[in-house]
């Protein structure tokens, strides 16, 4: 009889943050590992105390309806992400599933027959448990669109109902905490109407992230903002709905409970190539600005790429939409900064939404190397704007202090170590920081099994 460390140990951190119910859900992507230099991002760059949930994007679905990896090293990355829960036991991780196979969503074939769904659900539950995720995020863009037939609206509802039922049963059978189920959903009314039975899916999902970005971009012929809070005075017709206020209001009207709705805060901006000397909102464009040096895909720039761009550009504020833009030469970008995050955080607090999601951690200045605003300047600012308590920085070992506990891990590799002065506790070292955990009452730490055991 022994108790494994980690989730089962109820380890007591020196300082453990508990956030009541507001969610701060952060997406990471498995392709960000391929960016050059300081842009390279892996789960090792995730701050375990920054977000309440981290969602690993992306897994996909095989031809025979099994949940599966995408990148060659996904399993290794799952492990390094899920190890963070030893450092912050309150952190939840989810695996996002979606993607494209030959330009078509693999969801279409999977949801088409009850037996396909059943096979997928069984494979998904086993895959998530094997890799120690706490749940799954559905990223289907979108039922009833891009080659998906109109019946997929109801089939998506069926999938969610069946998944939720299977997750509840699995939790009872295995005596584990039920897996979480979330979805990334469309922001525009025209898409929502075709894709979702809103009240049916929202009643089953644990939370829904409305993708409140990509409202405007280089596919249009004039400048417009990626993620405005409100319409601008130049918007007409359906463009009046291309803003966060319109999207969230519509989801609420359709019966989504506010406390399950998350709005997405983008840590990137959308770019345009200007065709005249005019640099404001609604001025002529023809396509995207040049690709960013790190993200290398024309049409958007990460926040850290924008930091470099604005160091000698003009930054403007679109007051009616509560968001900034920047222009230099023939390039224009509508983006988000700490000021717009503050305005959006205030707005969602008034609406009593369940929280926020962030797309993505890897677009923020995660290493603090570009913007001179510290690590994760946007997401840390968002945490503060939402009223989260400060992160437990007190456990960080200051290099100047001789305190034997806080400095225990200085120079030691990551891992678990006995506490020489108290066998009922043990140390965990993570990136040079020291965390003190306590075994359950009656147990002592044994280094041979790296676990708490009966004496
Ligand atoms: C939405 O789902 C509910 C519950 O499953 C069902 O009763 C209702 O008929 C559905 N509405 C539409 C328009 O399909």
């Amino acid at each position: 009889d022994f108790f494994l460390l980690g989730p089962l140990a109820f380890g007591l951190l020196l300082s453990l943050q508990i956030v009541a119910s507001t969610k701060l859900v952060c997406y990471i992507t498995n392709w960000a590992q391929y960016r050059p230099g300081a842009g390279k991002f892996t789960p090792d760059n995730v701050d375990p105390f920054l977000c309440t949930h981290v969602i690993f994007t992306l897994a996909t679905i095989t031809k025979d309806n099994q949940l599966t990896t995408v990148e060659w090293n996904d399993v290794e990355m799952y492990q390094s992400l899920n190890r963070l829960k030893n450092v912050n036991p309150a952190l939840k991780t989810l695996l996002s599933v979606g993607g494209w196979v030959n330009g078509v969503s693999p969801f279409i074939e999977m949801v088409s027959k009850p037996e396909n769904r059943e096979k997928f659900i069984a494979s998904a539950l086993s895959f998530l448990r094997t890799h120690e995720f706490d749940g799954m995020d559905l990223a289907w863009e979108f039922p009833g669109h891009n080659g998906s037939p109109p019946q997929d609206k109801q089939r998506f509802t069926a999938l969610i109902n069946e998944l939720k039922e299977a997750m509840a049963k699995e939790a009872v059978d295995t005596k584990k905490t039920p897996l979480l189920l979330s979805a990334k959903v469309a922001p525009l009314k025209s898409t929502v109407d075709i894709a979702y039975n809103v009240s049916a899916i929202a009643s089953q999902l644990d939370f829904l992230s409305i993708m409140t970005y990509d409202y405007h971009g280089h596919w249009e012929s004039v400048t417009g903002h990626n993620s405005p809070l409100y319409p601008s005075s130049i918007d007409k017709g359906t463009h009046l709905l291309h803003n966060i206020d319109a999207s969230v209001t519509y989801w609420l009207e359709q019966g989504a409970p506010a406390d399950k709705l998350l709005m997405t805060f983008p840590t990137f901006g959308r770019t345009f190539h200007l065709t005249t000397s005019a640099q404001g909102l609604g001025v002529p464009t023809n396509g995207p600005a040049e690709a960013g040096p790190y993200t290398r895909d024309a049409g958007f720039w990460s926040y850290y790429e924008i930091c470099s761009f604005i160091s000698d550009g003009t930054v403007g504020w679109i007051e009616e939409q509560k968001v900034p833009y920047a222009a230099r030469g023939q390039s224009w970008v509508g983006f988000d900064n700490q000021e717009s995050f503050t305005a959006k955080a205030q707005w969602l607090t008034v609406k009593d939404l369940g929280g926020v999601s962030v797309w993505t951690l890897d677009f923020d200045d995660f290493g603090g190397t570009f913007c001179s605003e510290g690590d994760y300047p946007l997401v840390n600012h968002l945490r503060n704007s939402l009223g989260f308590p400060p992160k437990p920085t007190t456990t960080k070992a200051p290099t100047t202090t001789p305190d034997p506990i806080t400095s225990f891990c200085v120079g030691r590799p990551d891992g678990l170590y006995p506490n020489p002065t108290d066998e009922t506790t043990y140390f965990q070292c993570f990136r040079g920081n020291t965390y003190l955990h306590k075994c359950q009452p009656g147990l002592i730490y044994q280094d041979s099994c790296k676990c708490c055991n009966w004496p």
Side-chain angles (χ1 to χ4, degrees):
D1 250 344
F2 65 93
F3 289 79
L4 281 178
L5 295 179
L8 288 179
F10 303 100
L12 185 66
L13 298 181
L14 280 178
S15 167
L16 174 62
Q17 61 143 9
I18 305 288
V19 175
S21 63
T22 302
K23 293 182 177 67
L24 174 45
V25 176
C26 300
Y27 281 87
I28 62 172
T29 57
N30 56 4
W31 57 88
Q33 63 174 322
Y34 300 120
R35 294 185 191 131
K40 178 185 160 91
F41 181 98
T42 69
D44 290 330
N45 296 106
V46 175
D47 171 346
F49 293 102
L50 186 61
C51 310
T52 60
H53 300 65
V54 174
I55 302 189
F56 186 101
T57 304
L58 190 69
T60 192
I61 305 168
T62 63
K63 267 193 156 36
D64 62 341
N65 308 300
Q66 310 271 322
L67 181 60
T68 190
T69 57
V70 171
E71 291 295 340
W72 61 280
N73 58 345
D74 273 342
V75 168
E76 200 180 302
M77 290 196 286
Y78 297 163
Q79 286 168 356
S80 59
L81 174 64
N82 286 321
R83 266 201 300 271
L84 301 178
K85 292 188 281 191
N86 296 331
V87 180
N88 178 6
L91 179 67
K92 300 287 180 208
T93 61
L94 290 86
L95 182 62
S96 192
V97 52
W100 307 93
V101 179
N102 303 324
V104 179
S105 168
F107 275 105
I108 299 171
E109 175 60 25
M110 187 269 284
V111 298
S112 67
K113 298 193 186 97
E115 59 269 30
N116 291 1
R117 297 197 297 265
E118 198 179 330
K119 199 166 173 195
F120 171 74
I121 291 166
S123 94
L125 267 50
S126 136
F127 191 95
L128 295 166
R129 290 301 191 191
T130 299
H131 298 290
E132 300 186 329
F133 283 99
D134 302 298
M136 181 164 63
D137 179 58
L138 303 170
W140 181 358
E141 299 175 18
F142 301 100
H145 296 75
N146 304 316
S148 153
Q151 305 91 288
D152 279 355
K153 176 180 188 169
Q154 210 37 53
R155 290 171 179 168
F156 187 52
T157 311
L159 172 69
I160 288 171
N161 288 337
E162 292 162 15
L163 260 170
K164 198 65 188 174
E165 197 184 328
M167 286 172 163
K169 183 173 184 309
E170 187 261 2
V172 171
D173 291 349
T174 61
K175 300 189 170 63
K176 290 178 179 166
T177 306
L179 291 162
L180 298 168
L181 186 62
S182 66
K184 284 178 80 179
V185 295
L188 296 180
K189 176 184 188 301
S190 53
T191 314
V192 173
D193 288 344
I194 294 167
Y196 313 113
N197 181 331
V198 171
S199 57
I201 67 169
S203 70
Q204 295 296 314
L205 294 167
D206 291 288
F207 57 89
L208 300 82
S209 297
I210 309 175
M211 292 188 265
T212 43
Y213 51 83
D214 294 348
Y215 286 110
H216 296 281
H218 62 85
W219 50 88
E220 296 171 336
S221 58
V222 297
T223 55
H225 199 280
N226 179 45
S227 182
L229 189 48
Y230 301 108
S232 82
S233 46
I234 59 170
D235 286 331
K236 291 187 188 65
T238 56
H239 269 174
L240 288 165
L241 299 178
H242 285 226
N243 58 80
I244 295 168
D245 184 49
S247 295
V248 173
T249 301
Y250 191 61
W251 274 92
L252 290 169
E253 278 171 11
Q254 295 302 299
D259 63 358
K260 286 188 177 184
L261 274 188
L262 312 183
M263 58 187 259
T264 307
F265 282 54
T267 51
F268 68 96
R270 288 215 157 265
T271 71
F272 294 82
H273 181 259
L274 302 170
T275 54
T276 69
S277 59
Q279 292 189 326
L281 193 67
V283 304
T285 63
N286 63 349
E290 266 186 54
Y294 296 92
T295 54
R296 301 183 294 191
D297 195 359
F300 72 91
W301 290 334
S302 64
Y303 179 66
Y304 61 84
E305 288 169 327
I306 294 166
C307 276
S308 311
F309 177 77
I310 60 184
S311 60
D312 57 351
T314 308
V315 179
W317 178 256
I318 308 166
E319 176 54 29
E320 55 188 4
Q321 301 191 290
K322 304 282 186 220
V323 280
Y325 69 95
R328 193 209 312 161
Q330 300 296 105
S331 300
W332 194 96
V333 61
F335 65 108
D336 274 274
N337 58 10
Q338 294 184 347
E339 208 174 346
S340 64
F341 270 27
T342 301
K344 290 177 178 184
Q346 282 169 358
W347 184 88
L348 86 92
T349 305
V350 171
K351 295 276 176 184
D352 256 340
L353 299 189
V356 308
S357 66
V358 173
W359 182 266
T360 64
L361 285 187
D362 48 75
F363 289 149
D364 197 357
D365 186 16
F366 54 91
T369 46
F370 293 88
C371 307
S372 308
E373 296 168 337
D375 290 2
Y376 288 108
L378 290 184
V379 185
N380 271 309
H381 181 79
L382 181 55
R383 269 185 69 86
N384 297 339
S385 307
L386 292 170
F388 279 85
K391 292 183 295 179
T393 48
T394 49
T395 57
K396 210 167 202 167
T399 45
T400 50
T401 169
D403 179 334
I405 288 192
T406 56
S407 60
F408 180 84
C409 289
V410 172
R412 286 181 206 255
D414 287 359
L416 303 177
Y417 297 90
N419 179 357
T421 64
D422 177 6
E423 61 183 5
T424 69
T425 64
Y426 58 95
F427 290 116
Q428 174 162 33
C429 298
F430 182 73
R431 292 196 210 148
N433 294 343
T434 306
Y435 300 91
L436 181 67
H437 298 265
K438 191 161 177 54
C439 293
Q440 284 183 314
L443 306 186
I444 59 163
Y445 178 79
Q446 288 182 352
D447 206 43
S448 53
C449 60
K450 303 271 179 205
C451 71
C452 295
N453 206 342
W454 300 105

